[in-house]
């Protein structure tokens, strides 16, 4: 009985902390996110493409170069290494970091958009 009541108290505390964090994140980013959600294109694919392009533009120069050569020019690791005069493993590392950074950017942006949209749905 003690363990059950302790676990229920811990769960209630965690839930309260998540709600507080949610409210703080919403307050901090409220204005830019509102305009982003309202200006979002009607096509979800267009929105995702624009977010991906934005993420690529934010990459460091070498990662951006490697990513564009590999994904858009369809060059192999060896071809990129020769073109940029770096090692094959460096190409692999730069590509891995670039993809990780792009994914993180996409997740952050889409999470924040969903957060704002979800908070508006509660009011209606």
């Amino acid at each position: 009985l003690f363990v059950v009541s302790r676990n229920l108290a811990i769960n209630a505390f965690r839930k309260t902390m998540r709600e507080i964090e949610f409210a703080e994140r919403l307050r901090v980013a409220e204005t830019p996110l509102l305009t982003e959600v309202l200006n979002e294109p009607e096509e979800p694919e267009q929105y995702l493409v624009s977010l991906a392009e934005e993420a690529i533009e934010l990459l460091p120069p070498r990662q951006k170069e490697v990513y564009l050569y590999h994904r858009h020019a369809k060059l192999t690791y060896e071809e990129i290494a020769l073109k940029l005069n770096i090692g094959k493993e460096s190409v692999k590392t730069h590509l891995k970091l670039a993809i990780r950074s792009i994914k993180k950017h996409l997740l952050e942006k889409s999470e924040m958009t969903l957060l704002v949209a979800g908070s508006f749905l509660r009011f209606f």
Side-chain angles (χ1 to χ4, degrees), residues 44-56:
E45 295 83 18
Q46 286 178 333
Y47 182 63
L48 289 175
V49 168
S50 69
L51 282 181
E53 288 172 354
E54 181 181 306
I56 292 168

Side-chain angles (χ1 to χ4, degrees), residues 16-34:
T16 304
M17 291 306 294
R18 278 194 307 268
E19 290 173 354
I20 290 170
E21 288 175 6
F22 173 80
E24 285 179 9
R25 279 193 284 172
L26 187 60
R27 244 182 270 120
V28 168
E30 191 173 17
T31 309
L33 288 177
L34 178 58

Side-chain angles (χ1 to χ4, degrees), residues 2 4 7 20 27 32 36 44 51 54 59-60 64 66 68 70 72-73 76 83 91 94 98 107-108 113-114 119:
F2 174 77
V4 171
N7 288 343
I20 290 170
R27 244 182 270 120
E36 185 178 316
L51 282 181
E54 181 181 306
L59 290 173
K64 183 177 175 182
V66 169
L68 292 175
H70 185 68
H72 294 284
T76 64
K83 194 172 204 88
V91 170
H94 285 303
L107 285 173
E108 286 173 355
T113 302
L114 289 174
S119 66

Side-chain angles (χ1 to χ4, degrees), residues 59 63 91-102:
L59 290 173
Q63 287 180 20
V91 170
K92 197 174 182 178
T93 302
H94 285 303
L95 188 60
K96 181 174 76 173
L97 292 172
I99 291 170
R100 184 181 300 157
S101 179
I102 292 168

